[in-house]
Amino acid sequence: MKTKFDPVQNYNNTRGAIGYVPRKKATQKTYNEIGFMSGLEVHQQIDTKEKLFCRCPAGCYHDNDVFDAEVIRHMRPTLSELGEYDGTALMEFRTRKEIIYRIKNETTCTYEVDDTPPFPLNNEALEKAIKISLLSKFKIVGEVHITRKQYLDGSIPTGFQRTAIIGVEGEIPLKNKKVRLIQLSLEEDSCREVSDIRHTRIFKTDRLGIPLIETVTYPDMVNPDEVKEACNYIRFLNRSTGLVRVGSGAGREDVNVSCRGGTRVEIKGVSHTKWIPELTHNECFRQWALLNIRKILNERVSDPKSWKISHEFITYQTTKVKYAPLKEAKANNYKLLAVNLPHFRGLLSHFTQPEKIFANEICDRLKVIACLEKPNMTHSEEFVPIINETDFEKIKKTLKAADDDAQLIFWGPEEDVKTALETIEERCLMAFTCVPNETRKSFEDGTTIFERVLPGADRMYPDTDSKPIPLTDEYINNLSKDIPQEIIERYHQLQKWDVPEDAYTFIFKRNHFPLIERIIKELGYDPKFVGTFFGHRLKYVEGHYKPVSKFKHSILFHLFKFAKEQKLDVQLLKYMLPEVYEHPQIDFESALTNINFKRIDKKEIVSHIPFLKDKFKTIRKKDKPEVEAKWVMGELRKRAVGNISLTELYNNVVKN
Ligand SMILES: [Zn+2]
């Protein structure tokens, strides 16, 4: 008996079935249940004059269309030392990509394009990498060995990245636990991608070869917030040394995530730490969803090894659609194919990520592996069908499809059809056995898409062009004298004071910590308030106002002292700050006049509460007490700021 199938309902049902909850509703119990596990690889460029293995300048960037020459390469698979083809190598070969490098003479020499062997390792970079390693309590290696790490996406023309381990087995402290560090490596940065369309991927070589450190943690983080905290700590630690490059693109992280029974999936190049919690939350649940799909498939299909897709070429006349991409495909003379996926009914629209379904997993791979630009397909479980039911019934007949099958329709140039069919079958077969090992690209909304097959662990081999570099104890000891150890203690102090993490960078960059500490200790103010006042409010004011004469930050101590002596509530200082900052010579009383502050006795302010409550009753009939309290606070706020703390006032409103 046929039942009407509703893809949206199926998406909702499957999301419920795997126990997905939005991050805001998730607790540690949620993450324990799905076995959340995550580790980090934090990359940070080191600030050096020259690149790591040649003498080209570092940090000199060009626009996409500024170049002197182009070099074209084709990627070919080579056997690894063990005589096996690496998964990534095969995938990159199947994509039949032509790689083009755009080169500007002033930032690229023959080394970057693999025409000459490397120059000796940049000593400035090595020293800085050792100092940062010491700060993270790594054990420094006795000898630096340069190795080659395979890179087959074309982002490094040689096909490998030169990298060297500098420190091993370190640790960083988070608020509630220690996170173990595996290693810190010094390596060369890769090319920046200009575009990747159909069979052509274009890179530019300006960033290639810039020294980079990579800090790798153990997968010790058990919830998304810990991942963010660890990442912030490592980034902060790197930056606090003053030895690294700052600014957009200078720091990037790869986040590894798995769920219980899942696989290590690498979310690449996350450029904002604040994206991490949402991304890791969703990735863990995506894997959890894939495991559910596996369970369903194995219940339906007793012999997965014999499972295969079938396909038919269909004509554009089969469908009477007005869908623009299909019209375009027809105009381009693209082939149109219908594919039957036996027993996949209800799985194409199975939840994987917020607003993403299993069909997206196939669509993303068709783009990356078969080079079919999106939109490249439609299917039998679209939320908004592109092909109507009658047409789809005809297609199903052509395919001799059974009721519990699902169907895909895709289009593309004839030469890509074979790879596309293989890609579809391969992804579906993986659904029977595992969560595929892959790297994924991140988006601001917290979702990810397939990027590449994750390379195997055995993609490292020694660099025959470089000699080992011995590091003597004396050399290390000399470098260790130069390390700003106190900054770490100060960081922990701010954490203990509960000052928000996004305030730290500004505080350390401007060296405000000693002043903050003095205000807290000598005047007895709430540490969280003072830290936030400097890290957020002062930062804002400095960015938006211009002082008429030199502003000395020591004024701020006197400002806090003034508030204490005058028994003014500390919140008032936020309003006084722009005034005092703009006019450093002003006396504080005049600043108060300029912001229209009037001294009013606490008791007087509180005495207005009953009257305001009566007034509230006349303007709104049936409202909750919180709404009433909020309204009364709003009415009194202007008079209250500086005269009474808002918490104290609120308590009075609630109790009156
Ligand atoms: Zn060079």
Side-chain angles (χ1 to χ4, degrees), residues 51 54-56 107-112:
K51 290 185 175 182
C54 67
R55 301 294 93 97
C56 290
T107 57
T108 311
C109 66
T110 50
Y111 167 69
E112 283 101 324

Side-chain angles (χ1 to χ4, degrees), residues 264-282:
R264 188 178 75 102
V265 164
E266 200 171 305
I267 306 170
K268 292 289 263 189
V270 181
S271 42
H272 299 281
T273 317
K274 62 175 183 225
W275 294 5
I276 287 180
E278 206 66 28
L279 284 168
T280 50
H281 173 88
N282 286 334

Side-chain angles (χ1 to χ4, degrees), residues 38-306:
S38 177
L40 280 163
E41 294 167 23
V42 182
H43 301 99
Q44 186 86 40
Q45 290 177 342
I46 303 188
D47 192 12
T48 56
K49 279 201 286 298
E50 295 170 345
K51 290 185 175 182
L52 191 56
F53 288 106
C54 67
R55 301 294 93 97
C56 290
C60 204
Y61 292 134
H62 315 299
D63 285 339
N64 285 349
D65 48 5
V66 178
F67 56 95
D68 298 317
E70 285 189 330
V71 174
I72 300 177
R73 288 278 158 95
H74 291 98
M75 287 291 160
R76 279 191 191 85
T78 47
L79 287 171
S80 75
E81 310 279 285
L82 298 167
E84 288 164 348
Y85 284 111
D86 180 278
T88 334
L90 286 179
M91 184 196 103
E92 296 295 347
F93 181 60
R94 265 163 62 199
T95 64
R96 291 175 293 116
K97 285 272 183 194
E98 183 174 80
I99 314 272
I100 298 176
Y101 299 100
R102 291 188 173 168
I103 290 165
K104 185 99 181 79
N105 292 337
E106 60 185 287
T107 57
T108 311
C109 66
T110 50
Y111 167 69
E112 283 101 324
V113 292
D114 197 23
D115 272 348
T116 43
F119 294 80
L121 184 85
N122 182 334
N123 210 38
E124 187 190 3
L126 178 63
E127 278 194 21
K128 289 180 174 174
I130 293 173
K131 282 185 186 172
I132 297 170
S133 302
L134 288 167
L135 207 50
S136 306
K137 302 195 165 58
F138 276 110
K139 296 184 187 79
I140 308 297
V141 296
E143 226 176 26
V144 176
H145 291 265
I146 294 151
T147 50
R148 298 176 177 187
K149 199 194 278 180
Q150 227 175 51
Y151 256 67
L152 294 160
D153 59 0
S155 63
I156 301 187
T158 49
F160 57 82
Q161 176 191 45
R162 288 193 163 88
T163 170
I165 294 173
I166 305 297
V168 294
E169 298 297 326
E171 64 172 38
I172 53 165
L174 302 190
K175 260 183 239 136
N176 302 318
K177 70 197 275 187
K178 285 199 165 102
V179 167
R180 297 166 301 146
L181 302 176
I182 298 174
Q183 65 190 46
L184 185 145
S185 306
L186 176 60
E187 50 193 42
E188 45 188 355
D189 209 341
S190 56
C191 289
R192 294 197 287 167
E193 191 181 284
V194 174
S195 64
D196 185 7
I197 301 163
R198 295 277 300 127
H199 290 280
T200 310
R201 194 177 287 155
I202 304 176
F203 289 105
K204 49 183 178 179
T205 57
D206 50 4
R207 193 182 71 184
L208 175 66
I210 292 181
L212 190 73
I213 49 166
E214 182 200 52
T215 309
V216 186
T217 75
Y218 279 92
D220 284 352
M221 282 75 85
V222 295
N223 65 56
D225 290 311
E226 274 185 12
V227 189
K228 182 181 158 197
E229 194 191 347
C231 188
N232 272 335
Y233 188 93
I234 295 168
R235 290 188 59 144
F236 162 76
L237 187 125
N238 289 341
R239 280 189 306 217
S240 72
T241 60
L243 303 174
V244 299
R245 282 184 191 279
V246 288
S248 124
R252 312 183 294 275
E253 44 270 354
D254 299 342
V255 189
N256 301 319
V257 186
S258 65
C259 73
R260 186 177 310 108
T263 313
R264 188 178 75 102
V265 164
E266 200 171 305
I267 306 170
K268 292 289 263 189
V270 181
S271 42
H272 299 281
T273 317
K274 62 175 183 225
W275 294 5
I276 287 180
E278 206 66 28
L279 284 168
T280 50
H281 173 88
N282 286 334
E283 174 52 25
C284 199
F285 271 109
R286 187 186 69 92
Q287 296 187 21
W288 200 240
L290 293 178
L291 294 179
N292 194 49
I293 292 174
R294 177 176 75 173
K295 188 173 142 255
I296 297 169
L297 276 173
N298 283 291
E299 281 162 8
R300 288 184 190 173
V301 182
S302 54
D303 180 20
K305 280 202 185 84
S306 63

